[in-house]
Amino acid sequence: AQKVTQAQTEISVVEKEDVTLDCVYETRDTTYYLFWYKQPPSGELVFLIRRNSFDEQNEISGRYSWNFQKSTSSFNFTITASQVVDSAVYFCALSDYNTDKLIFGTGTRLQVFP
Amino acid sequence: GAVVSQHPSWVICKSGTSVKIECRSLDFQATTMFWYRQFPKQSLMLMATSNEGSKATYEQGVEKDKFLINHASLTLSTLTVTSAHPEDSSFYICSVPGPISYEQYFGPGTRLTVT
């Protein structure tokens, strides 16, 4: 069965701190995609990144970086020098190879205090 | 600009009435669309896959007679919550697969409150 686990329910940090959101997944597929989405209070999902299972290169985009490790089935997300605007719920998701369906983790609520 | 739109963005209805939510793909045609439900402070759960020209595929535990899905055209899917009850109050989000494999575009969501 496919599953995404985000063990951290809520994280609170003070502005400028670095924070890492954990994501562990389970799948039997050899080809799959992993995603991170941000959901601000408005509710609309904001796409952050998509990574395919064959590309284990870490990625950096501004203050955001992602660490994909197939050996541990993890796809962790780090925000460097966090800002208040980063406050949101962050979801990690796994795509089903055959159907394009997304399996979401339970989300991590990040609160960044000034 | 927006790739997927939903209408309405929010709706309040009385218990026992039916509510229709529209999901439109603005930039490309979609033979498949997905409907998700998100209860407060919970994750998104896939309800069903809407298929243009054929019946929707429902996930386990989702009542097909209660959540009617019609994929009327290659750009429009509708979700009708029939005989709504307060426990149906939720945030309903649709998504459209993009032209590139594994891309997904999400609508802004519809917040349904049943009183």
Side-chain angles (χ1 to χ4, degrees), chain A residues 33 39 97 100-101 105, chain B residues 38 43 46 59 102-104:
Chain A
Y33 279 77
Q39 189 177 42
Y97 175 70
D100 274 349
K101 296 178 186 178
Chain B
Q38 185 181 28
S43 187
L46 180 66
E59 296 299 302
Y102 297 102
E103 268 189 332
Q104 288 263 356

Side-chain angles (χ1 to χ4, degrees), chain B residues 32-98:
Chain B
T32 301
M33 295 185 184
F34 298 104
W35 286 97
Y36 293 84
R37 178 169 55 183
Q38 185 181 28
F39 291 111
K41 298 197 175 183
Q42 292 189 29
S43 187
L44 283 80
M45 298 299 294
L46 180 66
M47 297 175 67
T49 304
S50 174
N51 303 301
E52 192 270 336
S54 64
K55 290 182 181 178
T57 308
Y58 291 82
E59 296 299 302
Q60 197 170 9
V62 177
E63 300 173 58
K64 60 181 71 175
D65 294 331
K66 181 168 185 61
F67 299 99
L68 301 179
I69 290 173
N70 182 22
H71 201 127
S73 72
L74 288 171
T75 58
L76 174 65
S77 174
T78 60
L79 167 68
T80 301
V81 183
T82 62
S83 187
H85 288 102
E87 55 265 32
D88 298 323
S89 298
S90 187
F91 193 52
Y92 292 87
I93 308 173
C94 69
S95 75
V96 176

Side-chain angles (χ1 to χ4, degrees), chain A residues 14-27:
Chain A
V14 177
E15 226 175 0
K16 297 185 183 175
E17 282 186 31
D18 298 346
V19 58
T20 296
L21 310 181
D22 298 332
C23 173
V24 174
Y25 63 93
E26 295 174 33
T27 181

